[in-house]
């Protein structure tokens, strides 16, 4: 293991608090990396995935941090993350199963499958939107309604531009210390606080929403121009699982959390629903139900 701290190390939270106070973002990345290495050496692969991915997100967000962290650490972090991609973890298994299951559906059905997940993220987004820099997450409800409407009729110029602006803001959020550096969190009734950085798992909730909305806009443009439609994005479909939150706050595997089990049931129930005869009215009813859902409640 690389020796990153000259003195005896305190807890991860102590290291992070000290680095955050100094706005030493390279130090934050190193602390996460060190925790990931330690977890990996103990065979705690979910924790290793959590911490190494956080380190990677931070040093990839800013060239100045990238230079301070150094290539030796980053190369080792990338190599370890590559090894974790083959591990039998929820982080890997569920997205792979979703991608395979999407082949059983038509492109329009896959897009609606993603919309259902986006709808289930609305309430969480509203709660996170009170955090500095996270205001865009409060616009997910409008995005859901606009996407649903534009499946059936072309969006207005204002709606199109509004979705595009959300995409830009979500992308910018991922590069901001408000996401990965500040340690901002919200209280969860009956549970541990949720950090905005808990959205980082499985490529990042914010980035997969961005990808989903961007693909939808490209579909709209292709339809208006009589061109071949782009393939639908499947990355968003598993994003309401929030594995980082349950790995960070729990002692067991994320799939053992009741909320994760419930979300997996919803995910596969959606697939069965879409593989049957459905109408836009039925889709709208399910979207409306999901927008009210608290995915963090047991």
């Amino acid at each position: 293991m690389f020796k990153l701290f000259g003195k005896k190390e305190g807890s991860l939270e102590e290291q992070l608090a000290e680095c955050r106070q100094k706005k030493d973002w390279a130090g934050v990345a190193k602390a996460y990396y060190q925790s990931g290495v330690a977890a990996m050496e103990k065979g705690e692969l979910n924790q290793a995935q959590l911490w190494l991915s956080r380190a990677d997100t931070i040093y990839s967000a800013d060239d100045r941090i990238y230079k301070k962290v150094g290539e030796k650490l980053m190369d080792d972090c990338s190599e370890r993350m590559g090894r974790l991609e083959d591990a039998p973890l929820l982080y890997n298994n569920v997205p792979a199963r979703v991608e395979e299951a999407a082949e059983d559906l038509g492109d329009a059905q896959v897009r609606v499958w993603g919309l259902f997940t986006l709808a289930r993220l609305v309430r969480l987004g509203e709660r996170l939107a009170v955090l500095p820099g996270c205001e865009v997450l409060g616009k997910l409800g409008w995005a859901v309604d606009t996407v649903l409407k534009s499946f059936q009729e072309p969006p207005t110029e204002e709606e199109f531009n509004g979705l595009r602006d959300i995409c830009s803001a979500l992308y910018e959020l991922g590069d901001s210390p408000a996401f990965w550096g500040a340690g901002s969190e919200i209280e969860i009734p009956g549970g541990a606080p949720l950090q905005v950085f808990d959205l980082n798992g499985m490529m990042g909730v914010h980035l997969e929403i961005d990808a989903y909305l961007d693909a939808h806009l490209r579909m709209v443009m292709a339809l208006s121009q009589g061109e071949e439609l782009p393939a639908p994005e499947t990355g968003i479909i598993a994003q309401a699982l929030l594995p980082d939150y349950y790995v960070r706050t729990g002692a067991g595997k994320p799939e053992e959390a009741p909320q994760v089990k419930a979300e997996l049931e919803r995910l596969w129930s959606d697939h069965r629903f879409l593989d049957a005869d459905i109408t836009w009215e039925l889709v709208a009813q399910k979207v409306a139900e999901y927008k009210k859902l608290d995915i963090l409640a047991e």
Side-chain angles (χ1 to χ4, degrees):
M1 185 191 304
F2 299 139
K3 186 176 181 181
L4 300 172
F5 297 87
K7 59 185 178 180
K8 184 177 180 180
E9 300 168 15
S11 70
L12 174 61
E13 286 305 319
E14 290 171 342
Q15 294 177 40
L16 293 175
E18 182 178 351
C19 291
R20 285 169 181 153
Q21 185 177 15
K22 299 176 181 177
K23 295 188 177 181
D24 176 10
W25 306 132
V28 173
K30 290 175 182 179
Y32 281 134
Y33 163 78
Q34 189 178 49
S35 294
V37 171
M40 199 164 184
E41 291 182 349
K42 291 188 290 186
E44 297 172 348
L45 300 188
N46 283 298
Q47 286 79 3
Q49 176 67 39
L50 168 70
W51 303 127
L52 293 174
S53 179
R54 288 195 172 196
D56 177 77
T57 293
I58 295 172
Y59 65 64
S60 299
D62 189 306
D63 288 341
R64 292 167 295 183
I65 302 173
Y66 191 91
K67 292 176 181 177
K68 289 182 180 179
V69 168
E71 291 188 5
K72 188 175 182 180
L73 182 153
M74 292 185 292
D75 288 346
D76 185 71
C77 187
S78 296
E79 189 273 335
R80 289 176 181 276
M81 290 177 66
R83 283 155 53 191
L84 288 170
E85 289 177 359
D86 297 324
L89 305 177
L90 178 144
Y91 286 97
N92 303 323
N93 296 343
V94 175
R97 287 183 60 199
V98 165
E99 190 171 348
E100 182 179 354
E103 297 177 0
D104 299 331
L105 304 175
D107 284 2
Q109 294 165 306
V110 175
R111 291 185 170 94
V112 173
W113 198 8
L115 181 64
F116 286 159
T117 298
L118 183 56
R120 292 198 294 275
L121 291 167
V122 166
R123 281 196 63 187
L124 176 62
E126 291 171 347
R127 294 161 75 178
L128 288 168
V130 303
L131 301 177
C134 298
E135 295 81 4
V136 64
L137 297 174
K139 300 179 180 180
L140 298 185
W142 179 85
V144 167
D145 293 341
T146 304
V147 168
L148 177 60
K149 175 176 174 285
S150 60
F151 275 131
Q152 302 166 75
E153 60 183 71
T156 65
E157 182 178 357
E158 181 179 5
E159 290 169 339
F160 186 95
N161 290 336
L163 289 175
R164 185 175 59 185
D165 290 344
I166 290 175
C167 287
S168 298
L170 287 168
Y171 186 83
E172 292 172 2
L173 175 62
D175 286 340
S176 169
F179 179 72
W180 44 257
S184 298
E185 60 186 27
I186 56 173
E187 294 297 321
I188 302 298
L194 180 135
Q195 299 176 354
V196 65
F197 208 1
D198 289 331
L199 302 184
N200 193 58
M202 297 192 298
M203 303 303 291
V205 176
H206 56 303
L207 293 179
E208 292 295 359
I209 296 174
D210 173 19
Y212 176 81
L213 295 178
D214 180 72
H216 184 76
L217 292 174
R218 289 188 284 112
M219 181 201 73
V220 168
M221 292 178 64
L223 283 171
S224 68
Q225 298 170 7
E227 298 176 351
E228 183 178 354
L229 302 185
E233 289 285 335
T234 62
I236 192 175
I237 294 170
Q239 290 301 318
L241 291 168
L242 303 177
D244 275 17
Y245 172 65
Y246 297 102
V247 173
R248 183 180 63 82
T249 61
K253 299 178 181 179
E255 54 266 35
E256 295 173 349
Q259 297 92 331
V260 174
K261 292 179 180 179
E263 175 57 20
L264 284 170
E265 174 55 35
R266 286 188 290 265
L267 190 154
W268 298 118
S269 175
D270 287 347
H271 184 275
R272 294 189 294 271
F273 172 83
L274 290 164
D275 199 25
D277 292 331
I278 58 172
T279 64
W280 284 116
E281 182 179 3
L282 291 173
V283 169
Q285 290 175 3
K286 189 172 281 287
V287 165
E289 293 171 4
Y290 281 155
K291 285 174 62 183
K292 301 176 183 177
L293 184 67
D294 181 359
I295 57 174
L296 295 175
E298 290 194 24

